Each structure stands twice: as C-alpha cells, then as structure tokens.
Amino acid sequence: MAGHEAAHWKIEDLDFSRIARPEVRRDENLFYLVACASFVESGSDLYTQNLVDFFRGDDEVTAWLTHQWEAEELQHGRALRAYVSHVWPEFDWEGAYRSFLEEYATYCKVELLAPTRGLELAARCVIETGTASYYRALARSTTEPVLRDLASRIAADEVSHYKHFYRFFRRYRQQEGLGRFRVLGTIGRRTLELKSEDADCAIRHVVRARAPGRAADTAYIQQLSARMNSTVRTHLSPGATLKMLMRPLELPAGVQAVVQYPIRQFMEHVFLR
C-alpha cells in the first residue's frame, strides 16, 4: 500500500493554468458532467463507513477501504471541485454541495448493501465498472487537456479499485460458496441501479444553484440528463465495460462466448439507454 500511495497522483500535478477558460466556460454540458461528478465523489465518506462496518473483522478489507479507497475517492471530489471552481468561479459549489449532501445522506444506508460480503463485493465491481466507464468516456469527450488528464487519472484509479474489490470477491466467493447464478443476479441488479438516485440527486442540486429559475422545471432537468447520458453513450467503450462486468462470473471461455451477446445487449440497454 505504501508504494501505491507514494506513486499516486496529487491535485498539484494538474496545471489548471493550461485550461482555455473562455472556450470551456461556454460548454454547459461539460459543466454539469464535471459538477455532478464532483458532488458524488465528495460524498464518498458517507458510504465508506457503511462498508467498513459491514466488513468489520476483515482487517485487510477495512484497512484498504479506510486508508486508500476513501482517500482516493475524496481526492477525486476535490480535484473535480477545483476544476469547476477554476472554470466557473461564480458557481456556489459549497452551498450547492451542502444541499446535495443533506439529501444524499439518506441514500447511504447499511440496509441497502447486498445480503453477504461476497455479493456486496460483486456489487462493488459493478459500481467501479460504471465509474471507470464514465470517466473514460468523459476523457474521450473533450479536447480540453487538463480535464482529459484529470478524467483519465480518475478512470485509472477506478480500475485499480475494481481490481481490489475483485480480489476480495474471489476470497469471499470461496468462503461463501457463491454460485454463478447468485453472482449474476447481483450483477444484474446493480447494473440496473447504476443510473440511480445518486446522479439524479446531484443534477437537481447543481441546477438549483446554477439556474434556480429552472429548479422546478422537470422537463429541463430531463433534457440536461439526456444530453449528459448522450455524451457518455457516444464515448463509451462497450467492450472494456462488458469485460469488467462479466469477470466476477468467471465463466469458461466457451460459455463466455455463448452468453457474451445477450449480456452485451442487456448492458447496452442499461448503459446506453
């Protein structure tokens, strides 16, 4: 862990002076993509404690969650906030985030975790797949070098987190005797929940601060959400996402070839709708 932390990037590694601010400021879609992500990432400590409590007694998992995962997730939030503040300094990030956090905290409950540790780790693999895919798409969607650099760094972190959760999952899969059908059920449910209240909550509170006159305009918020989804959809890498989603099933090569198409169709229905 020490070696990883020594090599990990810092916000100071990002040169915000390189941003062509007048050009980027005009991109409202980009603003919402970055601002909403900054809110969700900044709330990571809320559900970290739930996971630490859930895995109490497993020192390897809880130490990693506490000392590496939470720290890196919160750094993502700080870095994204710094980007927003540099490009859109008039946006009241702190006030909007406080409002968001009050609602978001109600979604972070222990009872929403999976029924077993192994299945929760499978669910975490799905979540890290979704976040890695989001930031990869964000990096591809822009020519602005600082945001592309930042999104690429965050995506790499999310892939690293996925690898840790997957390693822990394999241990618990053996301990709990988890069959593929139970794992598949968890993967399916969590994939359907990827476009969850987290993103909806974030966009509502960002709009409330950015365009208070449109805060109650459901059609406007839906249009914003559709544009954001379109950006991610256009720049998604379905093959890489599918590979990450299927990995916890540990299917034999022959079986994987047979089920890959229907699973890809399901994945695209969720990720690309």
Side-chain angles (χ1 to χ4, degrees):
M1 183 182 299
H4 178 95
E5 290 177 347
H8 194 253
W9 60 278
K10 300 178 178 63
I11 297 176
E12 291 75 20
D13 296 331
L14 303 167
D15 184 1
F16 292 109
S17 68
R18 296 171 57 211
I19 302 173
R21 290 180 67 246
E23 179 181 343
V24 181
R25 276 181 59 82
R26 294 194 296 266
D27 193 336
E28 281 292 292
N29 185 56
L30 191 66
F31 164 77
Y32 280 102
L33 285 165
V34 179
C36 289
S38 74
F39 279 18
V40 176
E41 295 282 359
S42 296
S44 300
D45 54 336
L46 289 176
Y47 50 85
T48 300
Q49 189 56 52
N50 289 342
L51 288 175
V52 169
D53 291 341
F54 193 66
F55 286 94
R56 185 78 61 192
D58 188 328
D59 293 342
E60 182 185 15
V61 174
T62 57
W64 178 76
L65 287 169
T66 303
H67 300 299
Q68 184 172 324
W69 186 64
E70 180 182 29
E72 292 181 4
E73 293 289 298
L74 291 175
Q75 178 174 283
H76 298 167
R78 290 193 300 272
L80 291 163
R81 176 185 179 177
Y83 188 92
V84 171
S85 297
H86 186 86
V87 179
W88 300 278
E90 72 282 1
F91 177 67
D92 180 15
W93 192 97
E94 186 63 41
Y97 177 68
R98 283 198 303 269
S99 175
F100 160 81
L101 197 62
E102 185 177 348
E103 179 180 350
Y104 185 57
T106 66
Y107 304 148
C108 303
K109 299 177 180 178
V110 175
E111 54 264 33
L112 297 179
L113 300 179
T116 76
R117 290 179 171 184
L119 292 176
E120 179 57 31
L121 289 165
R124 289 288 132 190
C125 287
V126 174
I127 294 168
E128 298 299 335
T129 297
T131 53
S133 299
Y134 179 89
Y135 288 110
R136 283 168 172 165
L138 181 59
R140 293 189 186 103
S141 73
T142 181
T143 57
E144 200 289 292
V146 178
L147 182 57
R148 175 169 281 191
D149 180 27
L150 173 56
S152 297
R153 290 173 186 266
I154 296 177
D157 284 349
E158 305 294 5
V159 171
S160 174
H161 299 167
Y162 173 95
K163 291 177 180 178
H164 279 82
F165 282 123
Y166 176 68
R167 180 167 60 83
F168 300 145
F169 161 76
R170 294 192 72 190
R171 171 155 60 86
Y172 276 100
R173 178 179 59 81
Q174 283 194 317
Q175 291 179 11
E176 297 175 2
L178 295 175
R180 288 193 179 97
F181 282 108
R182 290 195 72 191
V183 176
L184 178 60
T186 295
I187 290 174
R189 281 190 296 274
R190 292 303 280 156
T191 301
L192 287 170
E193 293 167 2
L194 279 175
K195 290 186 177 179
S196 63
E197 62 266 14
D198 294 12
D200 293 338
C201 179
I203 195 169
R204 283 197 304 275
H205 289 277
V206 173
V207 169
R208 186 176 299 170
R210 177 73 166 177
R214 311 298 294 271
D217 189 340
T218 304
Y220 174 72
I221 292 175
Q222 288 176 342
Q223 289 170 4
L224 282 176
S225 180
R227 284 199 295 271
M228 294 165 66
N229 290 338
S230 178
T231 298
V232 175
R233 179 176 66 247
T234 302
H235 297 92
L236 192 68
S237 176
T241 302
L242 176 64
K243 183 176 180 181
M244 292 175 72
L245 277 180
M246 291 183 63
R247 193 176 183 191
L249 295 175
E250 300 188 337
L251 296 171
V255 176
Q256 183 168 322
V258 172
V259 302
Q260 184 166 346
Y261 180 74
I263 291 179
R264 180 165 183 159
Q265 292 294 103
F266 167 74
M267 182 202 73
E268 290 181 348
H269 170 70
V270 174
F271 277 88
L272 307 184
R273 65 187 174 184

